Amino acid sequence: MPDRIVAATYLTALACTRGCVRLCGASARHISPYVAMLRCCGMNIYTTKDSIIAEKRHRLCGVVRVRTMPYPGFATDMQSLVMASLAVSDAVGVVQENIFENRYRYIDELNRFGTKIKTEGKTAVIEGVGELSGAHAKATDLRGGAALVVAALKAHGASEIGNTHHIERGYEKITERLSSLGADISYKR
């Protein structure tokens, strides 16, 4: 089975930037709540049996409410990706984390880029700002680290992400794959 969170991460990278991508071997039905959310915000997504084709030309917009739930609901591992994509949109989002406590540890790091995300208990409110600035941030966990990477792709100026060992646990060759899609990204050991 293809990794559904990795597929969602690449869709988020596109949602934060612009362009077109085809994810071969990915199944939209495994991430249907996330695909539906991106479509509602204005992203063009087409699916085949074994691929997802996505195109984004304009900023995402709308009002988004997400509640994390067990599969097949909205995956808790995708909520950090929602926040990164909505942070650079014309949207307002509300995320309610229902699976894990302390899941929002990465938000202070994401806010270093200029995002407007506030939390209260299990709820986070995201106000899209459009533009982000380069920052130095540290990954606090795997999926929060992925959100930092995609925010850095959108940010003006250089960014540096520390504690990348968290990210490396879940993404094979993420810098090479993002580079092949046009990202200006490198990995320093």
Side-chain angles (χ1 to χ4, degrees), residues 19 25 34 42 64 69 125 131 145 153 163 168:
Y34 194 59
V64 176
M69 299 167 51
V125 177
E131 299 299 326
L153 293 175
N163 293 344
E168 293 166 354

Side-chain angles (χ1 to χ4, degrees), residues 5 45 54 57 70 111 129:
I5 309 303
I45 301 176
R57 299 286 175 219
N111 281 338
V129 296

Side-chain angles (χ1 to χ4, degrees), residues 4-171:
R4 64 191 180 119
I5 309 303
V6 170
T9 302
Y10 290 118
L11 289 175
T12 303
L14 181 63
C16 288
T17 57
R18 288 196 169 117
C20 185
V21 68
R22 180 181 186 138
L23 303 176
C24 299
S27 173
R29 81 172 204 271
H30 295 148
I31 57 172
S32 58
Y34 194 59
V35 168
M37 190 253 350
L38 290 172
R39 281 179 172 153
C40 284
C41 291
M43 198 158 151
N44 296 320
I45 301 176
Y46 312 95
T47 61
T48 67
K49 183 178 150 189
D50 63 348
S51 68
I52 301 170
I53 302 106
E55 178 183 38
K56 181 178 167 263
R57 299 286 175 219
H58 308 286
R59 286 176 59 188
L60 300 179
C61 61
V63 177
V64 176
R65 296 184 75 72
V66 170
R67 293 182 46 184
T68 62
M69 299 167 51
Y71 185 82
F74 204 99
T76 185
D77 284 346
M78 291 182 203
Q79 57 92 336
S80 62
L81 302 173
V82 168
M83 293 204 207
S85 61
L86 295 180
V88 295
S89 70
D90 284 329
V92 174
V94 177
V95 174
Q96 184 177 358
E97 174 55 55
N98 295 309
I99 307 297
F100 294 111
E101 290 186 25
N102 299 320
R103 191 65 172 190
Y104 294 146
R105 292 178 299 168
Y106 65 91
I107 290 177
D108 287 340
E109 296 301 308
L110 195 56
N111 281 338
R112 292 176 184 269
F113 292 92
T115 64
K116 288 187 179 178
I117 302 172
K118 295 181 180 164
T119 62
E120 187 173 318
K122 299 188 318 183
T123 304
V125 177
I126 308 99
E127 180 184 339
V129 296
E131 299 299 326
L132 300 178
S133 300
H136 292 277
K138 292 182 181 178
T140 59
D141 58 69
L142 171 59
R143 304 310 176 187
L148 297 176
V149 170
V150 295
L153 293 175
K154 176 66 176 172
H156 293 286
S159 296
E160 186 173 314
I161 306 213
N163 293 344
T164 57
H165 63 277
H166 291 298
I167 302 165
E168 293 166 354
R169 287 187 307 110
Y171 296 91

